[in-house]
Amino acid sequence: MADPKLLITGHGGLIGQILWRGLADLFELYGVDICLKEKNGNAFRADISNAEQVTAVFKKIPDLAYVVHLAGDPRADADWQSVLMNNIAGTKNVYEAARAHGVKRVVFASSNHVTGAYEGFPPSLHTRQSPVLITTRHPIRPDGYYGIGKAAGEAIARLYYDLHGLESVCLRIGSVLRDDDPAGDARTQSLWLSHRDLLQLVRKSLLTEVRFAIYYGVSNNRNRFLDIADAMAKIGYQPEDDASTH
């Protein structure tokens, strides 16, 4: 039996490359990224803010079963216009194309910035840890336009599940580092998501029978302030790393 087909949007970025290497044993991989100069094997160039370009990519991948949606402006301080076009409209375009082409499930890369303001407000934003363990049941408290864009993406995912049955797991990802070394400031050590824990979390989000969920994505860091109990209980996430003992 052929491996199911998986499209990774933004596959050329840091997280995209980790997943591209780590999921090849389970899926027939396809990628889309605005930074590509031209089509390269199973990878396509497209601007996700352009619905026609997104649709054209999906048409080239018959029987596509899964999408990991990473693409968008990754800057935590992105301006509103960029968030509106690349992160909100772009996510809607991906979900609409997924719906129209019979995709079973999307794993959406949300962000800890959806609740970043629990760490304080300017001028003390992100200068202290949250005084409480933040769960997905806490109200959203975005710390900027980027966080608003990711919260909107979660809302789009919920709408497409309720209206169309398009399954989604939204992952509020912490800090994924290029060198995978969390020996930085205290906030990074709290929010670190190691490469192997990232890969495990995405694998289990793709293969779970849970049809819609939102989970935080961090390693089992001693000083973490984001709750991962739901992901551990519902999809069997068992993080192997802790920034304090790395």
Side-chain angles (χ1 to χ4, degrees), residues 51-122:
E52 292 183 356
Q53 291 185 22
V54 174
T55 297
V57 170
F58 276 73
K59 286 181 177 179
K60 294 174 183 176
I61 313 172
D63 303 316
L64 179 63
Y66 299 97
V67 174
V68 175
H69 178 40
L70 306 171
D73 190 333
R75 299 173 300 155
D77 62 349
D79 63 86
W80 172 245
Q81 192 60 34
S82 180
V83 167
L84 182 62
M85 294 301 299
N86 296 303
N87 296 20
I88 298 178
T91 296
K92 189 267 183 186
N93 292 339
V94 169
Y95 268 86
E96 177 57 23
R99 178 205 65 78
H101 291 83
V103 169
K104 171 182 171 61
R105 173 182 297 259
V106 178
V107 173
F108 170 58
S110 186
S111 171
N112 66 92
H113 290 279
V114 169
T115 50
Y118 280 98
E119 299 172 63
F121 291 92

Side-chain angles (χ1 to χ4, degrees), residues 5 8 24 29 32 35 39 69 77-78 86 102-103 133-134 136 203 215 217 225 245:
K5 295 178 180 179
I8 302 176
L29 295 178
V32 59
C35 294
K39 183 182 181 301
H69 178 40
D77 62 349
N86 296 303
V103 169
L133 187 65
I134 304 168
T136 56
R203 279 176 174 257
Y215 301 124
F225 51 83
T245 60

Side-chain angles (χ1 to χ4, degrees), residues 68 93 105 110 118-119 133 150 156 164 170-171 188 195 199 246:
V68 175
N93 292 339
R105 173 182 297 259
S110 186
Y118 280 98
E119 299 172 63
L133 187 65
K150 291 299 187 180
I156 290 167
H164 308 296
C170 305
L171 300 176
T188 297
H195 292 189
L199 184 58
H246 183 70

Side-chain angles (χ1 to χ4, degrees), residues 2-241:
D3 292 335
K5 295 178 180 179
L6 166 65
L7 172 66
I8 302 176
T9 74
H11 77 285
L14 171 59
I15 292 178
Q17 286 298 293
I18 295 168
L19 299 183
W20 190 267
R21 293 189 296 268
L23 296 174
D25 61 327
L26 287 177
F27 301 96
E28 181 180 340
L29 295 178
Y30 293 81
V32 59
D33 200 294
I34 195 173
C35 294
L36 282 179
K37 293 183 178 179
E38 58 188 13
K39 183 182 181 301
N40 181 14
N42 281 4
F44 305 91
R45 185 187 186 281
D47 178 350
I48 64 164
S49 71
N50 184 308
E52 292 183 356
Q53 291 185 22
V54 174
T55 297
V57 170
F58 276 73
K59 286 181 177 179
K60 294 174 183 176
I61 313 172
D63 303 316
L64 179 63
Y66 299 97
V67 174
V68 175
H69 178 40
L70 306 171
D73 190 333
R75 299 173 300 155
D77 62 349
D79 63 86
W80 172 245
Q81 192 60 34
S82 180
V83 167
L84 182 62
M85 294 301 299
N86 296 303
N87 296 20
I88 298 178
T91 296
K92 189 267 183 186
N93 292 339
V94 169
Y95 268 86
E96 177 57 23
R99 178 205 65 78
H101 291 83
V103 169
K104 171 182 171 61
R105 173 182 297 259
V106 178
V107 173
F108 170 58
S110 186
S111 171
N112 66 92
H113 290 279
V114 169
T115 50
Y118 280 98
E119 299 172 63
F121 291 92
S124 64
L125 184 66
H126 297 169
T127 60
R128 61 180 175 82
Q129 292 185 357
S130 170
V132 298
L133 187 65
I134 304 168
T135 75
T136 56
R137 291 171 292 282
H138 280 76
I140 64 169
R141 293 179 74 179
D143 55 14
Y145 295 136
Y146 176 77
I148 290 173
K150 291 299 187 180
E154 294 179 2
I156 290 167
R158 183 76 219 196
L159 178 70
Y160 272 77
Y161 171 64
D162 286 339
L163 284 183
H164 308 296
L166 176 54
E167 300 174 8
S168 281
V169 175
C170 305
L171 300 176
R172 292 178 178 173
I173 294 172
S175 296
V176 179
L177 308 174
R178 189 167 299 279
D179 63 3
D180 208 20
D181 183 356
D185 57 45
R187 185 170 188 267
T188 297
Q189 293 177 23
S190 298
L191 292 172
W192 182 51
L193 177 60
S194 71
H195 292 189
R196 64 177 173 178
D197 286 344
L198 164 69
L199 184 58
Q200 180 201 157
L201 183 59
V202 172
R203 279 176 174 257
K204 292 187 172 180
S205 297
L206 286 164
L207 300 177
T208 183
E209 294 183 1
V210 174
R211 300 186 67 193
F212 181 87
I214 299 172
Y215 301 124
Y216 282 104
V218 296
S219 290
N220 195 27
N221 307 317
R222 181 183 305 169
N223 297 323
R224 62 182 170 79
F225 51 83
L226 300 178
D227 182 45
I228 56 175
D230 282 355
M232 296 173 73
K234 299 293 178 58
I235 64 172
Y237 175 49
Q238 294 295 327
E240 300 181 73
D241 294 309

